[in-house]
Short mmCIF file of all heavy atoms in Angstrom, two decimals:
data_model
loop_
_atom_site.label_atom_id
_atom_site.label_comp_id
_atom_site.label_asym_id
_atom_site.label_seq_id
_atom_site.Cartn_x
_atom_site.Cartn_y
_atom_site.Cartn_z
N LYS A 1 11.27 140.75 126.64
CA LYS A 1 10.55 140.78 125.37
C LYS A 1 9.43 141.83 125.41
O LYS A 1 9.22 142.57 124.45
CB LYS A 1 9.96 139.40 125.06
CG LYS A 1 10.99 138.29 124.88
CD LYS A 1 11.74 138.40 123.57
CE LYS A 1 10.88 137.95 122.41
NZ LYS A 1 11.64 137.96 121.13
N CYS A 2 8.71 141.87 126.54
CA CYS A 2 7.61 142.82 126.68
C CYS A 2 8.13 144.26 126.75
O CYS A 2 7.57 145.17 126.13
CB CYS A 2 6.80 142.51 127.94
SG CYS A 2 5.83 140.99 127.83
N PHE A 3 9.21 144.45 127.51
CA PHE A 3 9.81 145.78 127.63
C PHE A 3 10.23 146.31 126.26
O PHE A 3 9.94 147.45 125.89
CB PHE A 3 11.00 145.71 128.58
CG PHE A 3 11.81 146.98 128.64
CD1 PHE A 3 11.45 148.00 129.51
CD2 PHE A 3 12.93 147.16 127.82
CE1 PHE A 3 12.19 149.17 129.57
CE2 PHE A 3 13.67 148.33 127.87
CZ PHE A 3 13.30 149.34 128.75
N CYS A 4 10.93 145.49 125.52
CA CYS A 4 11.43 145.91 124.20
C CYS A 4 10.29 146.16 123.22
O CYS A 4 10.32 147.12 122.45
CB CYS A 4 12.40 144.87 123.64
SG CYS A 4 13.95 144.78 124.55
N ARG A 5 9.29 145.28 123.25
CA ARG A 5 8.17 145.45 122.31
C ARG A 5 7.45 146.77 122.58
O ARG A 5 7.03 147.46 121.64
CB ARG A 5 7.21 144.27 122.44
CG ARG A 5 6.00 144.34 121.50
CD ARG A 5 6.43 144.40 120.04
NE ARG A 5 7.09 143.21 119.58
CZ ARG A 5 6.48 142.22 118.93
NH1 ARG A 5 5.19 142.31 118.65
NH2 ARG A 5 7.16 141.17 118.54
N TYR A 6 7.33 147.13 123.86
CA TYR A 6 6.62 148.37 124.21
C TYR A 6 7.49 149.61 123.99
O TYR A 6 7.08 150.55 123.32
CB TYR A 6 6.17 148.32 125.67
CG TYR A 6 5.53 149.61 126.13
CD1 TYR A 6 4.21 149.91 125.80
CD2 TYR A 6 6.24 150.54 126.89
CE1 TYR A 6 3.63 151.10 126.19
CE2 TYR A 6 5.67 151.73 127.28
CZ TYR A 6 4.37 152.01 126.94
OH TYR A 6 3.80 153.20 127.33
N CYS A 7 8.69 149.61 124.55
CA CYS A 7 9.52 150.82 124.53
C CYS A 7 10.13 151.11 123.16
O CYS A 7 10.42 152.26 122.84
CB CYS A 7 10.62 150.70 125.58
SG CYS A 7 10.02 150.73 127.28
N TYR A 8 10.34 150.07 122.36
CA TYR A 8 10.93 150.26 121.04
C TYR A 8 9.93 149.92 119.94
O TYR A 8 10.29 149.38 118.90
CB TYR A 8 12.21 149.44 120.91
CG TYR A 8 13.22 149.78 121.98
CD1 TYR A 8 13.36 148.98 123.12
CD2 TYR A 8 14.01 150.92 121.88
CE1 TYR A 8 14.27 149.30 124.11
CE2 TYR A 8 14.92 151.25 122.87
CZ TYR A 8 15.04 150.44 123.98
OH TYR A 8 15.93 150.77 124.97
N TYR A 9 8.69 150.22 120.21
CA TYR A 9 7.62 149.95 119.25
C TYR A 9 7.95 150.60 117.91
O TYR A 9 8.20 151.80 117.83
CB TYR A 9 6.31 150.49 119.81
CG TYR A 9 5.10 150.25 118.94
CD1 TYR A 9 4.69 148.97 118.63
CD2 TYR A 9 4.35 151.33 118.46
CE1 TYR A 9 3.58 148.74 117.85
CE2 TYR A 9 3.22 151.12 117.69
CZ TYR A 9 2.84 149.82 117.37
OH TYR A 9 1.72 149.61 116.61
N LYS A 10 8.01 149.79 116.86
CA LYS A 10 8.36 150.24 115.50
C LYS A 10 9.77 150.82 115.42
O LYS A 10 10.07 151.63 114.54
CB LYS A 10 7.32 151.24 114.98
CG LYS A 10 5.94 150.61 114.77
CD LYS A 10 4.99 151.54 114.06
CE LYS A 10 3.66 150.85 113.78
NZ LYS A 10 2.70 151.71 113.09
N ARG A 11 10.64 150.43 116.37
CA ARG A 11 12.04 150.89 116.34
C ARG A 11 12.97 149.72 116.62
O ARG A 11 13.92 149.84 117.39
CB ARG A 11 12.26 151.98 117.39
CG ARG A 11 11.65 153.32 117.02
CD ARG A 11 11.99 154.32 118.10
NE ARG A 11 11.72 155.67 117.65
CZ ARG A 11 12.05 156.76 118.32
NH1 ARG A 11 12.66 156.63 119.48
NH2 ARG A 11 11.77 157.95 117.87
N LYS A 12 12.73 148.61 115.99
CA LYS A 12 13.54 147.42 116.23
C LYS A 12 14.99 147.61 115.80
O LYS A 12 15.88 146.93 116.31
CB LYS A 12 12.93 146.22 115.49
CG LYS A 12 11.60 145.76 116.08
CD LYS A 12 11.08 144.54 115.34
CE LYS A 12 9.76 144.06 115.93
NZ LYS A 12 9.22 142.88 115.21
N TRP A 13 15.22 148.54 114.90
CA TRP A 13 16.58 148.78 114.43
C TRP A 13 17.49 149.24 115.56
O TRP A 13 18.69 148.95 115.56
CB TRP A 13 16.58 149.81 113.30
CG TRP A 13 16.00 151.15 113.67
CD1 TRP A 13 14.70 151.53 113.60
CD2 TRP A 13 16.73 152.27 114.19
NE1 TRP A 13 14.55 152.82 114.04
CE2 TRP A 13 15.78 153.30 114.40
CE3 TRP A 13 18.06 152.51 114.49
CZ2 TRP A 13 16.13 154.55 114.90
CZ3 TRP A 13 18.42 153.76 114.99
CH2 TRP A 13 17.46 154.76 115.19
N ILE A 14 16.92 149.93 116.56
CA ILE A 14 17.72 150.38 117.70
C ILE A 14 18.19 149.16 118.51
O ILE A 14 19.34 149.10 118.96
CB ILE A 14 16.92 151.35 118.57
CG1 ILE A 14 16.66 152.63 117.79
CG2 ILE A 14 17.64 151.66 119.88
CD1 ILE A 14 15.83 153.66 118.52
N LEU A 15 17.29 148.21 118.70
CA LEU A 15 17.66 146.99 119.42
C LEU A 15 18.74 146.21 118.68
O LEU A 15 19.62 145.61 119.31
CB LEU A 15 16.43 146.11 119.62
CG LEU A 15 15.41 146.61 120.66
CD1 LEU A 15 14.16 145.74 120.64
CD2 LEU A 15 16.02 146.63 122.05
N PHE A 16 18.68 146.25 117.37
CA PHE A 16 19.71 145.58 116.56
C PHE A 16 21.07 146.21 116.84
O PHE A 16 22.08 145.52 117.02
CB PHE A 16 19.37 145.69 115.07
CG PHE A 16 20.44 145.13 114.17
CD1 PHE A 16 20.55 143.76 113.95
CD2 PHE A 16 21.38 145.98 113.58
CE1 PHE A 16 21.56 143.25 113.13
CE2 PHE A 16 22.38 145.47 112.77
CZ PHE A 16 22.47 144.11 112.55
N ILE A 17 21.10 147.55 116.90
CA ILE A 17 22.36 148.25 117.19
C ILE A 17 22.85 147.92 118.59
O ILE A 17 24.04 147.66 118.81
CB ILE A 17 22.16 149.78 117.03
CG1 ILE A 17 21.90 150.12 115.56
CG2 ILE A 17 23.37 150.54 117.56
CD1 ILE A 17 21.56 151.57 115.30
N TYR A 18 21.93 147.94 119.58
CA TYR A 18 22.29 147.60 120.96
C TYR A 18 22.88 146.18 121.01
O TYR A 18 23.90 145.94 121.66
CB TYR A 18 21.07 147.64 121.87
CG TYR A 18 20.56 149.03 122.22
CD1 TYR A 18 19.36 149.18 122.91
CD2 TYR A 18 21.27 150.17 121.87
CE1 TYR A 18 18.89 150.44 123.25
CE2 TYR A 18 20.79 151.43 122.19
CZ TYR A 18 19.60 151.56 122.89
OH TYR A 18 19.13 152.79 123.22
N ASN A 19 22.22 145.26 120.35
CA ASN A 19 22.65 143.86 120.38
C ASN A 19 24.01 143.68 119.71
O ASN A 19 24.87 142.96 120.20
CB ASN A 19 21.59 142.99 119.71
CG ASN A 19 21.57 141.58 120.26
OD1 ASN A 19 21.57 141.38 121.46
ND2 ASN A 19 21.55 140.59 119.37
N PHE A 20 24.19 144.38 118.61
CA PHE A 20 25.45 144.29 117.86
C PHE A 20 26.60 144.84 118.70
O PHE A 20 27.67 144.23 118.80
CB PHE A 20 25.33 145.06 116.54
CG PHE A 20 26.54 144.95 115.66
CD1 PHE A 20 26.79 143.78 114.94
CD2 PHE A 20 27.43 146.00 115.57
CE1 PHE A 20 27.93 143.68 114.13
CE2 PHE A 20 28.56 145.90 114.77
CZ PHE A 20 28.81 144.74 114.05
N GLY A 21 26.38 146.00 119.33
CA GLY A 21 27.42 146.61 120.16
C GLY A 21 27.74 145.76 121.37
O GLY A 21 28.91 145.59 121.74
N ALA A 22 26.69 145.21 122.01
CA ALA A 22 26.89 144.39 123.21
C ALA A 22 27.67 143.12 122.92
O ALA A 22 28.40 142.62 123.78
CB ALA A 22 25.53 144.05 123.83
N MET A 23 27.55 142.63 121.70
CA MET A 23 28.26 141.40 121.33
C MET A 23 29.77 141.57 121.51
O MET A 23 30.47 140.65 121.95
CB MET A 23 27.94 141.05 119.87
CG MET A 23 28.67 139.81 119.35
SD MET A 23 28.09 139.33 117.70
CE MET A 23 28.49 140.80 116.74
N PHE A 24 30.30 142.76 121.22
CA PHE A 24 31.74 143.01 121.34
C PHE A 24 32.13 143.45 122.75
O PHE A 24 33.24 143.18 123.20
CB PHE A 24 32.15 144.09 120.33
CG PHE A 24 31.96 143.67 118.90
CD1 PHE A 24 30.84 144.08 118.19
CD2 PHE A 24 32.90 142.85 118.28
CE1 PHE A 24 30.65 143.68 116.88
CE2 PHE A 24 32.72 142.46 116.96
CZ PHE A 24 31.59 142.86 116.25
N LEU A 25 31.22 144.11 123.46
CA LEU A 25 31.53 144.62 124.80
C LEU A 25 31.43 143.54 125.87
O LEU A 25 32.13 143.61 126.89
CB LEU A 25 30.58 145.77 125.15
CG LEU A 25 30.80 147.09 124.41
CD1 LEU A 25 29.70 148.08 124.77
CD2 LEU A 25 32.16 147.67 124.76
N LEU A 26 30.56 142.56 125.65
CA LEU A 26 30.30 141.55 126.67
C LEU A 26 31.57 140.87 127.22
O LEU A 26 31.77 140.80 128.45
CB LEU A 26 29.35 140.49 126.13
CG LEU A 26 27.88 140.60 126.55
CD1 LEU A 26 27.04 139.58 125.80
CD2 LEU A 26 27.72 140.40 128.05
N PRO A 27 32.46 140.36 126.38
CA PRO A 27 33.65 139.67 126.90
C PRO A 27 34.52 140.59 127.75
O PRO A 27 35.07 140.16 128.76
CB PRO A 27 34.39 139.22 125.62
CG PRO A 27 33.35 139.22 124.56
CD PRO A 27 32.40 140.32 124.90
N VAL A 28 34.62 141.85 127.35
CA VAL A 28 35.45 142.82 128.08
C VAL A 28 34.86 143.10 129.45
O VAL A 28 35.56 143.06 130.48
CB VAL A 28 35.58 144.13 127.28
CG1 VAL A 28 36.42 145.15 128.06
CG2 VAL A 28 36.20 143.87 125.92
N VAL A 29 33.55 143.41 129.48
CA VAL A 29 32.88 143.73 130.74
C VAL A 29 32.85 142.52 131.66
O VAL A 29 33.08 142.62 132.87
CB VAL A 29 31.45 144.25 130.47
CG1 VAL A 29 30.72 144.52 131.79
CG2 VAL A 29 31.49 145.53 129.63
N TYR A 30 32.58 141.35 131.10
CA TYR A 30 32.54 140.12 131.89
C TYR A 30 33.89 139.86 132.58
O TYR A 30 33.96 139.53 133.76
CB TYR A 30 32.16 138.93 131.01
CG TYR A 30 32.24 137.59 131.72
CD1 TYR A 30 31.32 137.25 132.70
CD2 TYR A 30 33.24 136.68 131.40
CE1 TYR A 30 31.39 136.02 133.35
CE2 TYR A 30 33.32 135.45 132.05
CZ TYR A 30 32.39 135.13 133.02
OH TYR A 30 32.47 133.93 133.68
N ALA A 31 34.96 140.03 131.83
CA ALA A 31 36.29 139.81 132.38
C ALA A 31 36.57 140.76 133.54
O ALA A 31 37.13 140.37 134.57
CB ALA A 31 37.35 139.98 131.29
N LYS A 32 36.14 142.01 133.38
CA LYS A 32 36.36 143.00 134.45
C LYS A 32 35.57 142.64 135.70
O LYS A 32 36.08 142.70 136.82
CB LYS A 32 35.96 144.40 133.96
CG LYS A 32 36.96 145.02 133.01
CD LYS A 32 36.62 146.48 132.73
CE LYS A 32 37.71 147.14 131.90
NZ LYS A 32 37.45 148.58 131.70
N LEU A 33 34.30 142.31 135.52
CA LEU A 33 33.46 141.99 136.68
C LEU A 33 33.95 140.73 137.40
O LEU A 33 33.92 140.65 138.63
CB LEU A 33 32.00 141.80 136.24
CG LEU A 33 31.29 143.02 135.67
CD1 LEU A 33 29.82 142.71 135.40
CD2 LEU A 33 31.39 144.21 136.60
N LYS A 34 34.39 139.76 136.66
CA LYS A 34 34.86 138.52 137.25
C LYS A 34 36.19 138.71 137.98
O LYS A 34 36.41 138.19 139.08
CB LYS A 34 35.01 137.44 136.17
CG LYS A 34 35.37 136.07 136.73
CD LYS A 34 35.43 135.03 135.63
CE LYS A 34 35.81 133.67 136.20
NZ LYS A 34 35.89 132.63 135.14
N ASN A 35 37.10 139.48 137.39
CA ASN A 35 38.42 139.68 137.98
C ASN A 35 38.39 140.55 139.23
O ASN A 35 39.33 140.51 140.03
CB ASN A 35 39.37 140.31 136.95
CG ASN A 35 39.69 139.34 135.82
OD1 ASN A 35 39.58 138.12 135.99
ND2 ASN A 35 40.06 139.88 134.67
N ARG A 36 37.34 141.34 139.41
CA ARG A 36 37.26 142.19 140.59
C ARG A 36 36.82 141.42 141.82
O ARG A 36 36.83 141.95 142.92
CB ARG A 36 36.27 143.33 140.36
CG ARG A 36 36.74 144.42 139.43
CD ARG A 36 35.84 145.63 139.53
NE ARG A 36 36.04 146.52 138.39
CZ ARG A 36 35.10 146.87 137.55
NH1 ARG A 36 33.87 146.40 137.71
NH2 ARG A 36 35.35 147.67 136.55
N ARG A 37 36.40 140.17 141.66
CA ARG A 37 35.77 139.43 142.74
C ARG A 37 36.61 139.42 144.01
O ARG A 37 36.11 139.68 145.10
CB ARG A 37 35.48 137.99 142.31
CG ARG A 37 34.76 137.17 143.37
CD ARG A 37 34.59 135.73 142.91
NE ARG A 37 33.87 135.66 141.65
CZ ARG A 37 33.83 134.60 140.87
NH1 ARG A 37 34.50 133.51 141.21
NH2 ARG A 37 33.15 134.60 139.75
N LYS A 38 37.91 139.15 143.93
CA LYS A 38 38.75 139.00 145.10
C LYS A 38 39.17 140.34 145.71
O LYS A 38 39.76 140.38 146.78
CB LYS A 38 39.99 138.17 144.75
CG LYS A 38 39.65 136.72 144.39
CD LYS A 38 40.90 135.93 144.06
CE LYS A 38 40.55 134.50 143.69
NZ LYS A 38 41.75 133.70 143.33
N GLU A 39 38.89 141.41 145.00
CA GLU A 39 39.27 142.73 145.49
C GLU A 39 38.26 143.27 146.50
O GLU A 39 38.50 144.28 147.14
CB GLU A 39 39.39 143.72 144.32
CG GLU A 39 40.44 143.32 143.29
CD GLU A 39 40.38 144.23 142.08
OE1 GLU A 39 39.65 145.24 142.15
OE2 GLU A 39 41.07 143.94 141.08
N ASN A 40 37.12 142.62 146.62
CA ASN A 40 36.05 143.14 147.46
C ASN A 40 35.79 142.22 148.65
O ASN A 40 35.89 141.01 148.56
CB ASN A 40 34.75 143.29 146.65
CG ASN A 40 34.89 144.33 145.57
OD1 ASN A 40 34.62 145.49 145.81
ND2 ASN A 40 35.33 143.91 144.39
N SER A 41 35.42 142.84 149.76
CA SER A 41 35.09 142.09 150.97
C SER A 41 34.10 142.92 151.78
O SER A 41 33.72 144.02 151.39
CB SER A 41 36.35 141.81 151.79
OG SER A 41 36.99 143.03 152.14
#
């Protein structure tokens, strides 16, 4: 909250775009990170 308030001061619309985009990417990235678990040692 502090990072965003400082770095995006008066630019909350950028955070809205980030949040909107992440909503669709999250399931894809999560699946990739989880499925790679057994490939590493």
Side-chain angles (χ1 to χ4, degrees):
K1 297 287 284 184
C2 289
F3 172 86
C4 291
R5 180 59 66 96
Y6 175 79
C7 293
Y8 302 100
Y9 181 61
K10 294 189 176 180
R11 286 183 167 188
K12 291 182 180 180
W13 59 272
I14 293 178
L15 287 173
F16 175 80
I17 293 175
Y18 286 173
N19 209 47
F20 184 76
M23 178 173 60
F24 296 99
L25 289 174
L26 260 173
V28 179
V29 177
Y30 174 70
K32 285 189 174 184
L33 295 185
K34 185 177 179 181
N35 292 336
R36 286 193 196 121
R37 183 184 303 164
K38 294 181 181 179
E39 299 173 9
N40 294 270
S41 59

